[in-house]
Amino acid sequence: MHQVAVLAVDGIHSFDLAMPLQVFSTAHSLQREPGEIFGPRLYDVRVCGDGRDLMMAGVGGVEMYRFTPPYPLAAAIDADTIVVIGVPAGREPLTEALDLLREAHRRGIRIASISAGGASVMAASGLLDGRRVATHWSRAHLLAERYPQVIVDTDVLYIDHGDVLASAGAASGIDMCLHMIRQDFGSAVAADVARHMVVPPQRDGGQAPYIAHPDPGDDHGSLEPTMRWLRERLGEQVQLADIASYAGLSPRTLNRRFREQTGTTPLQWLLRQRVHHAQELLETTDLSVEEISRHCGFGTSIAMRQHFAKHIRTSPMTYRRTFRARTDS
């Protein structure tokens, strides 16, 4: 199994710790016995900490409970992925943790941070020098002031550099963890985890936080009903005017709101949903590429191959072979 080590230190937020544990432990193989909800586990998730009786905090640093991590901090070096929760505001990260992250990065271990606390630890380790990092808007200015070599971005849910990832907040950490599961085991497994957790199956990292751009005098309504309507019509030829009509907005207002809430246009968002659905069908069905292209609204297999080359950087058949092999193993 893919091993995930979640780093725990004194004073971290309870939800920041629980979230990656819940997401990764929910990931199971789609090959399940009749009548069973889950197949075999895909991740071995471990909490690695710096001692006994660590305090877990709520918002504002209020003590929630105490616990002792079952694994020492040093055990994280054996993991395939390390998730950094980080330290409370104003507290220095442990030297041992910084040394661990530098060594893990040197060994090629994937490292991800949750919210501002995790980003501050990653920045202190030097792994984010010269890179964009997603972090929580409330502490972005502090991170930028303390680590001027880091490019702070509060307008995205998460950022993936391949070797390191960073999420803007605890809830967007769910999106980031689903993204990592998608990389490891495919879209179908990630969608299965999302269904079990009752969360949106796909919010791309470039999507803006929904409350990032308040507009006085505007109700700034969520586009989630419109997005759900579009997901139900992936195989249909939907135009911008059709989407605007359903949403009850002018095309100009629809485009503005989509950029605010997703970081892209309605038609580009729809295209990404078609690609994601095609990925799931390639992993879970024996439909031909031509059939999948029609089912997902691409029209032709040539168009689907072009979009796969652009967004997934591979061909549909190579993608199918890759994730079928991972699922079978």
Side-chain angles (χ1 to χ4, degrees):
M1 288 186 288
H2 186 111
Q3 188 178 119
V4 176
V6 182
L7 304 188
V9 297
D10 194 53
I12 61 175
H13 283 185
S14 177
F15 183 70
D16 288 357
L17 174 64
M19 183 277 298
L21 303 180
Q22 182 73 20
V23 178
F24 286 113
S25 65
T26 304
H28 289 72
S29 169
L30 300 179
Q31 307 298 320
R32 53 179 68 101
E33 297 295 327
E36 294 294 328
I37 297 177
F38 292 114
R41 286 191 303 133
L42 296 175
Y43 291 92
D44 175 16
V45 189
R46 301 182 176 188
V47 179
C48 302
D50 65 335
R52 302 175 58 85
D53 198 33
L54 302 185
M55 188 266 281
M56 299 293 105
V59 176
V62 177
E63 181 173 337
M64 304 294 290
Y65 61 91
R66 290 181 175 271
F67 90 118
T68 298
Y71 296 91
L73 200 63
I77 201 64
D78 296 323
D80 301 295
T81 295
I82 295 176
V83 178
V84 184
I85 306 301
V87 294
R91 187 177 301 180
E92 293 294 325
L94 296 171
T95 301
E96 181 185 357
L98 299 181
D99 292 340
L100 171 75
L101 294 178
R102 296 184 188 109
E103 175 61 19
H105 186 258
R106 189 187 67 79
R107 296 188 185 190
I109 298 172
R110 181 174 60 182
I111 305 172
S113 69
I114 302 293
S115 197
S120 65
V121 175
M122 293 266 278
S125 72
L127 300 184
L128 299 177
D129 288 359
R131 302 194 192 200
R132 287 172 60 236
V133 58
T135 193
H136 197 274
W137 58 267
S138 66
R139 288 171 60 182
H141 65 290
L142 297 175
L143 187 67
E145 289 173 2
R146 183 162 190 183
Y147 303 103
Q149 67 275 28
V150 175
I151 305 166
V152 178
D153 191 342
T154 60
D155 290 333
V156 294
L157 294 175
Y158 61 86
I159 292 175
D160 180 5
H161 292 289
D163 53 342
V164 296
L165 303 90
S167 71
S172 62
I174 297 175
D175 300 290
M176 182 181 69
C177 291
L178 288 173
H179 169 71
M180 288 191 281
I181 293 173
R182 195 173 296 111
Q183 288 181 319
D184 296 338
F185 296 103
S187 290
V189 171
D192 188 59
V193 173
R195 281 191 292 269
H196 279 286
M197 296 188 63
V198 197
V199 297
Q202 178 71 33
R203 292 201 300 169
D204 288 319
Q207 180 168 323
Y210 286 133
I211 61 170
H213 306 285
D215 188 355
D218 193 335
D219 64 6
H220 200 70
S222 170
L223 287 171
E224 182 57 36
T226 302
M227 295 175 185
R228 185 165 53 248
W229 181 79
L230 285 170
R231 290 191 190 101
E232 294 169 352
R233 289 162 177 79
L234 295 181
E236 302 176 16
Q237 294 305 308
V238 180
Q239 305 299 321
L240 181 63
D242 301 321
I243 306 172
S245 176
Y246 177 82
L249 303 169
S250 70
R252 181 176 180 179
T253 300
L254 178 72
N255 269 316
R256 175 174 61 80
R257 289 196 175 177
F258 248 87
R259 285 199 176 277
E260 290 173 348
Q261 297 188 27
T262 71
T264 189
T265 67
L267 294 180
Q268 284 299 312
W269 182 90
L270 177 59
L271 174 59
R272 290 294 297 178
Q273 300 308 306
R274 285 174 169 155
V275 171
H276 296 319
H277 188 42
Q279 289 175 273
E280 288 191 42
L281 294 178
L282 287 168
E283 297 166 27
T284 60
T285 74
D286 293 320
L287 294 174
S288 68
V289 172
E290 191 68 43
E291 290 173 309
I292 292 175
S293 67
R294 291 195 299 269
H295 189 84
C296 295
F298 292 110
T300 67
S301 59
I302 294 175
M304 178 172 156
R305 290 188 184 98
Q306 290 172 339
H307 290 303
F308 255 68
K310 179 179 179 180
H311 296 284
I312 311 299
R313 293 183 174 83
T314 188
S315 69
M317 290 308 298
T318 299
Y319 182 89
R320 168 173 270 171
R321 286 193 299 268
T322 299
F323 283 101
R324 282 284 182 89
R326 294 185 187 181
T327 302
D328 293 342
S329 62

